[in-house]
Amino acid sequence: MTGLPPANTGYSNTPSSGAAAGQAPRGRGPIGWIRNHRGLAASVVLAVAALALVIGTQLAPKGDTVPLSVHNAGPNGARALAQILGRHGVDVHTPNRFDAALADLRSSSSPTLLLYDRNGILGKPQLAALAAAADRVVVISPRLDTLTALDVGIHQAGVVPDAVPVLDPRCSQADANAAGQVTGQGGFVYDGGTTCYRTAGTAGMLATSADRRTAVLGSTAVLGNDKLDDLGNAALAVRLLGASPDLVWYLPSLEDVTVTGHGKTLDDLAPGWARFLGPWLLLVAVAAIVWRGRRHGPLVFEPLPVVVKAVETAEGRARLYQDSRALDQARDNLRAGMLARISGKVRLGPGAGAEDIIAAAARLLGRDPAAVRALVNERPATEARLVAWSQAMDKLEKEVMTQ
């Protein structure tokens, strides 16, 4: 495919003198000032971003995303249940540390404790202290270690099958019978004591100890905002947690990871010099921005003329056609280029059509116009035939040019 017409004889990216003369002097205006003071501009942007972050954090709506938290208004939170209990005269205490929870329990005459230790943080001494200080304990989806430490005769017995999304009380307990059906999806079942909402055998999603002081509920969905208004979920939750005027809603966190009951935060465990590490790192980052962001003067534009030979352009286009198997496109380009060159030889105007050029070339060579027309209008179906056809077209063009 070497007979392609040259698509471009060359180009240059050298800027014209008129464009150069019309450019504004460098260093003037806001853009020029920013270019010359990149370090200061970066520092200002960083300070504004930090201020916006602080303001946004302060103005953001308060709340959390902790599952079953009374401050969580999301689907897995328990804000709605806490408000319902408050309307029924129950004072809901929400301690965030073990010692605070123990103090809230000891300050009331007959408190109820809701314990949801989803990570199994509390140890046996802590659980024993909480159970002794509470008049009634409601444990939500406890882990095996938590049940073992409580030692109330209740044990894990599996999960609620997916095919049983709704559970019936199926027991003689007053709270369960008054509430009726509840959501069983994603729940756990327990054995021991008095069990309700059974799935198979004696295991149920609600289990109460023999002394009726400890109740184990194997579902967070019953108390959560998303399912609270379904079936008898709200009724069961209010009857389990609203029997006492004081409810201590305790969700142990990583601050309680200690056997002594006095948890320490990361701030407590960090050394004293760590508080200066953040400002120092910020100062180093700003210095690095100023150092690396500053350039050694303005950019220098140098004229760079580039000339591409026509033969290189033609060969490059031919390789592209070959890789994409664009036989028709290559054939049309070869045919159009040959007809344009022959048209100038036979002195036909720019408005001459292909038939006129073919007829004039046939007369000039003394050949049959039909044979010349068949050669020029042929559409090769293979690459080999395209090469042979292009060679025949090149030979025809050379014969016309030598006449």
Side-chain angles (χ1 to χ4, degrees):
M1 306 178 188
T2 58
L4 287 171
N8 190 0
T9 59
Y11 64 89
S12 171
N13 67 349
T14 305
S16 62
S17 59
Q23 292 181 351
R26 301 184 183 279
R28 297 183 180 178
I31 297 179
W33 185 89
I34 294 176
R35 288 177 177 175
N36 296 331
H37 301 82
R38 288 182 176 86
L40 180 59
S43 302
V44 172
V45 171
L46 185 62
V48 171
L51 181 60
L53 179 62
V54 172
I55 295 176
T57 303
Q58 294 297 324
L59 296 181
K62 298 301 184 290
D64 56 45
T65 58
V66 177
L68 225 60
S69 170
V70 297
H71 305 293
N72 183 0
N76 62 343
R79 184 175 179 179
L81 177 57
Q83 293 180 351
I84 293 175
L85 291 171
R87 294 171 185 172
H88 283 77
V90 178
D91 190 7
V92 180
H93 305 270
T94 57
N96 57 0
R97 301 283 287 268
F98 169 78
D99 50 358
L102 197 59
D104 289 338
L105 290 172
R106 291 173 176 173
S107 63
S108 177
S109 58
S110 58
T112 298
L113 170 67
L114 179 142
L115 178 64
Y116 179 43
D117 189 5
R118 60 192 180 105
N119 296 319
I121 293 175
L122 300 181
K124 185 175 182 179
Q126 295 170 305
L127 292 172
L130 292 174
D135 185 66
R136 190 162 186 260
V137 181
V138 179
V139 189
I140 309 301
S141 299
R143 299 166 66 97
L144 177 60
D145 296 340
T146 303
L147 281 177
T148 303
L150 288 173
D151 192 19
V152 292
I154 299 175
H155 312 282
Q156 290 182 339
V159 298
V160 178
D162 294 336
V164 187
V166 177
L167 295 176
D168 295 311
R170 299 176 61 186
C171 66
S172 59
Q173 190 182 39
D175 293 339
N177 287 323
Q181 293 182 332
V182 297
T183 300
Q185 184 178 4
F188 299 89
V189 293
Y190 303 90
D191 198 1
T194 303
T195 58
C196 301
Y197 301 106
R198 300 168 184 170
T199 57
T202 60
M205 195 173 69
L206 176 64
T208 306
S209 62
D211 58 2
R212 303 183 64 84
R213 291 187 65 249
T214 303
V216 177
L217 177 62
S219 173
T220 58
V222 173
L223 310 181
N225 298 325
D226 189 30
K227 302 290 185 181
L228 188 62
D229 59 344
D230 291 350
L231 305 173
N233 294 345
L236 179 63
V238 172
R239 294 182 71 91
L240 286 177
L241 303 175
S244 171
D246 291 299
L247 172 63
V248 179
W249 195 293
Y250 179 39
L251 309 178
S253 63
L254 293 178
E255 298 178 351
D256 297 309
V257 182
T258 175
V259 297
T260 61
H262 299 283
K264 292 184 178 181
T265 64
L266 292 177
D267 292 337
D268 299 331
L269 298 175
W273 53 265
R275 67 185 64 183
F276 302 101
L277 185 61
W280 172 252
L281 291 178
L282 179 61
L283 180 61
V284 172
V286 172
I289 292 174
V290 175
W291 170 50
R292 299 299 296 175
R294 185 173 60 86
R295 291 186 177 273
H296 302 286
L299 294 176
V300 177
F301 293 90
E302 180 180 358
L304 185 62
V306 177
V307 177
V308 180
K309 296 181 180 179
V311 63
E312 295 179 1
T313 304
E315 290 178 356
R317 294 175 62 191
R319 283 193 294 269
L320 291 176
Y321 290 147
Q322 183 179 10
D323 293 341
S324 61
R325 294 185 175 275
L327 298 179
D328 292 337
Q329 185 67 29
R331 176 260 181 192
D332 294 340
N333 288 341
L334 292 173
R335 180 176 179 273
M338 191 207 70
L339 291 177
R341 291 187 293 271
I342 291 179
S343 176
K345 175 64 178 180
V346 297
R347 298 183 182 279
L348 294 178
E355 292 298 329
D356 297 335
I357 298 174
I358 292 173
R363 287 194 304 270
L364 181 62
L365 299 176
R367 293 187 182 181
D368 183 10
V372 178
R373 184 180 302 105
L375 175 62
V376 175
N377 294 334
E378 181 183 352
R379 289 190 172 275
T382 63
E383 293 183 359
R385 180 53 196 164
L386 178 63
V387 173
W389 175 80
S390 64
Q391 293 174 350
M393 291 282 286
D394 185 59
K395 181 179 179 182
L396 175 63
E397 181 182 352
K398 289 180 179 179
E399 291 178 357
V400 173
M401 294 301 181
T402 56
Q403 294 295 326

